């Protein structure tokens, strides 16, 4: 069965819209998300548009800040710091990738962990790995929701994650482990990848290598989550060959319409959670209001 990420994301956004409305009634304002985009990468502009559109659907104030591709690192850090110290802004996202002259780590360091809606700040990353409350990164969080939507019990399952990036592979492996799966992380130096992927009851693929996984590499009945996005002319291709894989898997996400919309829905959820936590802490320290 195909897992309809678009429909799941839509129903989550509808629930979030009600949550935002009740926050508006309670606090007299809605969460505000600032999205910073540097340069003219068309894919990045598309992603930012979909985030701003989702914010508007949910009732979150979305603010887009565009900077030229030759902006200096200093100027970008100044812009982000200003957003960070603005009490009217609850969440900040700097769209990646950034041009070469900018060190993305420095940018993350100037965002407060409490406004880091992407869950990329070192404190959020450390807390995730320590099992302390934190903002989870959007894509891994969405992947767990997609698996849960199939009714699959993660506890006790063999899970294989292909890809070990800081934004997808590593954190999703940790979230699966937290749900008591036995997790193997494979990567570009893994020999005989097929032997590993064939062991997976739950297979998450996040490599950016189009059609890396085909049906012969999948255990019959596995749940397959395809995170990859590769542009092929006007088409988007995943890391999994849907045609052959869907004959073997019990559930599989399509590309597009699987993980992508869930990433955006989770960004909205994270923004709302950051807002709720900030409002709660401001109310307990009213002098800062
Ligand atoms: P990355 O380039 O940072 O990491 C890729 C990982 O894949 C690396 O760990 C590498 O070791 C592994 N890898 C590469 N080739 C491999 C191979 N032949 N065999 C086994 N492992 C291999 O990428 P990323 O940021 O994790 O993103 C991965 C893909 O997911 C990209 O296509 C990206 O566009 C997509 N993505 C989608 C979403 C979404 O919302 N749908 C979000 C984030 C990333």
């Amino acid at each position: 069965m195909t897992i309809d990420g678009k429909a799941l994301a839509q129903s989550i956004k509808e629930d979030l819209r009600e949550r935002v409305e009740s926050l508006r009634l309670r606090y007299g304002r809605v969460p505000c998300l600032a999205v910073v985009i540097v340069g003219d990468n068309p894919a990045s502009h598309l992603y930012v548009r979909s985030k701003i559109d989702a914010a508007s659907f949910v009732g979150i104030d979305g603010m887009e800040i565009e900077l030229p591709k030759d902006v200096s690192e200093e100027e970008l850090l100044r812009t982000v710091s200003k957003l960070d110290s603005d009490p009217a802004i609850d969440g900040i996202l700097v769209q990646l990738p950034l041009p070469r002259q900018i060190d993305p780590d420095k940018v993350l360091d100037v965002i407060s962990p409490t406004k880091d809606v992407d869950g990329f700040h070192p404190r959020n990353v450390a807390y995730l790995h320590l099992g302390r409350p934190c903002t989870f990164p959007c894509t891994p969080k969405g992947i767990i929701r997609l698996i849960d939507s199939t009714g699959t019990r993660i506890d006790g399952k063999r899970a294989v994650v292909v890809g070990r990036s800081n934004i997808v592979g590593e954190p999703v492996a940790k979230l699966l482990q937290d749900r008591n799966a036995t997790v193997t992380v494979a990567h570009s130096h893994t020999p005989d990848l097929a032997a590993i992927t064939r062991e997976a009851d739950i297979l998450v693929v996040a490599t950016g290598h189009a059609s890396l996984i085909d049906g012969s590499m999948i255990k019959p009945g596995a749940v397959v989550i395809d995170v990859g996005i590769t542009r092929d002319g006007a088409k988007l291709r995943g890391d999994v060959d849907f045609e052959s894989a869907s004959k073997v898997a019990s559930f599989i996400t399509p590309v597009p319409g699987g993980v992508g919309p869930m990433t955006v829905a989770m960004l909205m959820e994270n923004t709302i959670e950051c807002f709720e936590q900030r409002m709660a802490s401001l109310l307990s320290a009213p002098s800062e209001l």
Side-chain angles (χ1 to χ4, degrees):
M1 269 179 78
T2 302
I3 309 173
D4 189 342
K6 205 170 160 189
L8 181 60
Q10 184 61 22
S11 86
I12 290 172
K13 285 188 291 182
E14 278 161 18
D15 290 347
L16 292 176
R17 183 155 67 169
E18 285 177 23
R19 193 159 148 194
V20 169
E21 181 53 20
S22 66
L23 289 171
R24 192 181 65 76
L25 294 174
R26 181 157 181 211
Y27 295 113
R29 75 171 183 93
V30 294
C32 177
L33 170 67
V35 182
V36 181
I37 177 156
V38 181
D40 47 15
N41 179 330
S44 293
H45 276 270
L46 267 179
Y47 292 142
V48 167
R49 184 87 324 260
S50 71
K51 290 167 187 178
I52 297 286
D53 287 350
S56 138
F57 178 83
V58 166
I60 290 174
D61 273 344
M63 182 197 275
E64 192 177 336
I65 297 105
E66 286 191 54
L67 295 169
K69 64 171 181 283
D70 58 355
V71 70
S72 67
E73 185 178 81
E74 200 189 348
E75 177 63 23
L76 176 61
L77 294 179
R78 213 179 4 252
T79 304
V80 176
S81 299
K82 215 166 131 196
L83 295 169
D84 196 64
S85 53
D86 185 340
I89 289 171
D90 306 289
I92 304 168
L93 175 159
V94 180
Q95 184 65 40
L96 300 176
L98 289 167
R100 245 188 268 158
Q101 73 275 18
I102 292 160
D103 177 354
D105 287 344
K106 286 192 189 163
V107 179
L108 284 178
D109 285 346
V110 297
I111 301 176
S112 297
T114 49
K115 291 192 179 187
D116 166 37
V117 285
D118 259 339
F120 294 164
H121 186 280
R123 194 184 86 178
N124 281 321
V125 175
Y127 278 19
L128 170 75
H129 284 274
L130 293 168
R132 293 175 62 170
C134 64
T135 300
F136 290 167
C138 304
T139 303
K141 191 178 178 185
I143 292 169
I144 300 293
R145 296 278 182 91
L146 285 162
I147 299 168
D148 283 340
S149 77
T150 67
T152 303
R153 191 175 148 82
I154 298 176
D155 196 314
K157 292 281 163 32
R158 282 282 280 115
V160 172
V161 177
V162 188
R164 57 175 167 180
S165 73
N166 288 336
I167 62 168
V168 189
E170 286 293 344
V172 82
K174 172 65 175 143
L175 293 179
L176 286 164
Q177 207 175 340
D178 288 348
R179 293 283 297 272
N180 298 320
T182 301
V183 184
T184 301
V185 178
H187 47 76
S188 53
H189 290 239
T190 301
D192 199 0
L193 182 63
I196 311 259
T197 57
R198 271 190 222 113
E199 289 177 2
D201 303 308
I202 298 168
L203 178 62
V204 178
V205 192
T207 68
H209 192 299
S211 302
L212 175 69
I213 306 291
D214 66 26
S216 72
M217 299 168 79
I218 294 172
K219 180 177 177 176
V223 175
V224 178
I225 308 292
D226 187 355
V227 188
I229 304 173
T230 303
R231 277 174 202 281
D232 183 0
K235 267 188 79 180
L236 293 184
R237 289 177 65 197
D239 289 355
V240 178
D241 172 46
F242 189 87
E243 173 85 20
S244 60
S246 58
K247 295 194 173 96
V248 188
S250 59
F251 293 95
I252 181 167
T253 56
V255 177
V259 175
M262 284 298 288
T263 296
V264 178
M266 294 300 100
L267 175 69
M268 299 304 120
E269 189 175 90
N270 282 356
T271 305
I272 293 167
E273 285 173 5
C274 285
F275 172 81
E276 289 169 339
Q277 280 154 22
R278 286 189 62 241
M279 292 316 275
S281 69
L282 287 174
L283 286 177
S284 63
S287 60
E288 292 180 27
L289 271 174

